[in-house]
Amino acid sequence: MLSTSHRLLGAVLAALVTLPVVPVSAGPASAAPVDRCAQPDDVPAEAPWPRSMLALDAVRPFTRGGGTTVALLSTGVHAAHPQLRGRVLPGFDAVSGRGPADTDCTGTGTQVAGVIAAQGSTGNGVVGVAPDTRIQPVRVVPDLPFGAVAQPAALTRGITWATGNGADVIVVATPLYTGDASLSRAVAAAVARGIVVVAAAGDLEASGGRAVPSFPAAYPDVLGVGAIGPDGGIWKNSPGGDFVDLVAPGVAVPTLQRGTGLVRVDGTAVAAGFVAGTVALARAKRGNLLTSEITRSLIAAASPTPAGPQYGAGVVNPYAALTEQVVAPSHRALPAVQPASPPETAAERRRRDLALLGAGLVLILVVGVLLATAALRRRSWRPGLAAPLPRPEEPVEPGPPVMLLDDLADSRQS
C-alpha cells in the first residue's frame, strides 16, 4: 500500500498534468503585413464607355498592334496582372538607374498599360486599344510615396533608354511642368529615330486664366493629349493651349489596377494611353509611314469637337486613322475642275427662293400683258380693199386722123 504521503504526491502530479498549457511569449504578437499599394475597386463588368466611343471593336479586323512596342514612362507596370500576362517586358528603372520596372505599387503605370494592351477577359469588358502590342515599362517616378513627381534627369534617362531599346512609341504618362534642355534633346533624338512620342498634357488647372504647359507635350513633334468625359466635355483639370494636339477618354475610365482587379480613373495620363495605343495600331498596319505622317494622320482623322484650345484637333479616332489616306500636298494631283460653290446657308436659301419667286411673278406679268395686247388687236381689226395703185397718164401717139360718123356720112353722099 502506498503511504498517505505518496497518495498526496500523486494527486498533485495529476492535477498539474490536467492544467492548460500557456505558451510563453517573448513579446507582443507581430501584426500581419499590410498591403499599402493601390487596391482595385468594384467596377461593373459591362463594356467601358471608351470602347464604344472609340469604336474599338470595329478596328480589330484591321490590326491588333502586333509587332510593336510601346515604352510606358510612369511608375512601372504590374506584369503579373492576369490581363497583362505575356505583354509586359522587364523594362528599366530610370529612377535608380538600374533594374527592371515590371512591378507597380502606385498603380498609375498599370492603369495606362491597361488602356493600351489589356487582354480581353470573360469577367469584364476592359480590353486595350492594341492588345497585341508589347509594353516596355520605364519607371521615371518613385513607386512610393504616392503623389511623387518626375524629375528631369529620370525622365531624360528613361526616354534615352527607350530610344535605344526598340520602342516604336514612347508615351510619357507623368510629365514635367518646367522645360529642360536635356529632356528636349532626348525627345528630339527619339523623333529622329522614327519614334512617335505621346505625352499627357498634365492635370493642372489653368492658373490665373492661363494654362500651365507641360513637357514634353510642349516640345515640337510631340503629340500632347488632353482628357474628355463620356459626354465629350473636357475634363475639369485638362489644360488648354497649343501644346494640346488631341483629346481622348480620361474621366471615370475603367482600366486595370495593380493586383488582379479594375479601377476607375481620371486624368490625361490614361488619355495619353489611348492615343499611344492608336499609334501602335497605325505603326502595325502602316509601318511604311514616316513618324511625321503618322502624327499628321492622327490629327487629320480626329473626330470633331467644340472649338477651343483644350480640345486640340479633336478626339482621337482609331478607325479613321487606319482607313483614311493622308497625302502630302506636294504629291496630290488635283483635277482641273471648277471651284466648288460655297456652302449654302439658310439666309442664302431664303434669298434664292425670293429671287425665284420674283422672277416668276415678272414672267407671269409679261405673259399677261402680251396676251391682253393680242386680244385688243383682234377686237379692232376690220376687213377692207387695198388702195388702188396710181395709174400714170400715157402720152398720145401720132396716127391717121379719126373720122367722126357724121363726116363719114357726108363723104359717102358726095
Side-chain angles (χ1 to χ4, degrees), residues 234-279:
I234 203 74
W235 180 48
K236 64 178 182 179
N237 291 342
S238 187
D242 57 4
F243 57 94
V244 178
D245 298 295
L246 294 167
V247 292
V251 177
V253 174
T255 185
L256 307 185
Q257 180 63 294
R258 54 95 35 208
T260 60
L262 305 178
V263 67
R264 282 195 187 94
V265 297
D266 300 340
T268 61
V270 71
F274 283 108
V275 175
T278 303
V279 174

Side-chain angles (χ1 to χ4, degrees), residues 207-229:
S207 175
R210 299 181 59 188
V212 178
S214 65
F215 301 89
Y219 291 139
D221 303 316
V222 176
L223 283 171
V225 185
I228 59 170

Side-chain angles (χ1 to χ4, degrees), residues 8 17 45 61 64 110 125 152 224 232 302 304 314 323 343 392 405 407:
L8 182 59
V17 171
R64 293 169 56 90
T110 305
T323 57
L405 292 177
D407 294 338

Side-chain angles (χ1 to χ4, degrees), residues 11-359:
V12 172
L13 292 174
L16 290 174
V17 171
T18 59
L19 288 176
V21 177
V22 179
V24 177
S25 175
S30 58
V34 177
D35 187 354
R36 300 184 182 278
C37 296
Q39 299 297 313
D41 288 339
D42 185 15
V43 177
E46 65 263 17
W49 67 268
R51 181 173 172 179
S52 301
M53 173 181 276
L54 303 184
L56 296 182
D57 294 336
V59 178
R60 306 285 181 241
F62 296 102
T63 179
R64 293 169 56 90
T68 61
T69 300
V70 177
L72 171 54
L73 277 63
S74 185
T75 57
V77 176
H78 186 67
H81 194 288
Q83 288 182 253
L84 287 176
R85 283 205 181 108
R87 308 315 311 164
V88 180
L89 302 172
F92 173 66
D93 189 335
V95 176
S96 64
R98 57 187 175 83
D102 53 358
T103 59
D104 181 23
C105 183
T106 306
T108 304
T110 305
Q111 296 160 9
V112 179
V115 302
I116 298 174
Q119 308 299 294
S121 170
T122 56
N124 61 70
V126 172
V127 61
V129 178
D132 285 357
T133 193
R134 295 180 298 269
I135 298 294
Q136 184 80 276
V138 180
R139 183 174 292 120
V140 295
V141 179
D143 206 8
L144 285 174
F146 290 99
V149 296
Q151 298 300 317
L155 200 54
T156 301
R157 193 158 45 240
I159 290 177
T160 302
W161 185 90
T163 300
N165 283 271
D168 299 295
V169 187
I170 294 176
V171 53
V172 181
T174 309
L176 302 176
Y177 294 99
T178 56
D180 181 81
S182 297
L183 177 62
S184 178
R185 288 192 294 270
V187 171
V191 173
R193 287 282 295 269
I195 300 171
V196 179
V197 180
V198 180
D203 300 342
L204 295 183
E205 294 181 273
S207 175
R210 299 181 59 188
V212 178
S214 65
F215 301 89
Y219 291 139
D221 303 316
V222 176
L223 283 171
V225 185
I228 59 170
D231 60 351
I234 203 74
W235 180 48
K236 64 178 182 179
N237 291 342
S238 187
D242 57 4
F243 57 94
V244 178
D245 298 295
L246 294 167
V247 292
V251 177
V253 174
T255 185
L256 307 185
Q257 180 63 294
R258 54 95 35 208
T260 60
L262 305 178
V263 67
R264 282 195 187 94
V265 297
D266 300 340
T268 61
V270 71
F274 283 108
V275 175
T278 303
V279 174
L281 294 177
R283 181 67 81 189
K285 184 176 186 294
R286 306 169 71 179
N288 59 324
L289 293 183
L290 300 175
T291 300
S292 59
E293 291 173 331
I294 291 179
T295 301
R296 190 170 70 251
S297 69
L298 262 69
I299 292 175
S303 301
T305 58
Q310 291 176 297
Y311 289 94
V315 183
V316 66
N317 188 331
Y319 185 87
L322 295 182
T323 57
E324 293 183 0
Q325 297 293 325
V326 179
V327 182
S330 59
H331 299 160
R332 183 180 298 144
L334 297 177
V337 296
Q338 294 296 327
S341 302
E344 185 179 50
T345 63
E348 290 290 340
R349 199 159 41 247
R350 284 194 298 272
R351 284 194 289 269
R352 182 200 61 190
D353 294 341
L354 288 174
L356 290 175
L357 179 60

Side-chain angles (χ1 to χ4, degrees), residues 361-382:
L361 292 175
V362 170
L363 180 61
I364 293 173
L365 181 60
V366 170
V367 172
V369 170
L370 292 176
L371 291 176
T373 303
L376 290 174
R377 286 180 177 175
R378 282 197 298 270
R379 290 177 183 176
S380 61
W381 180 78
R382 294 289 186 272

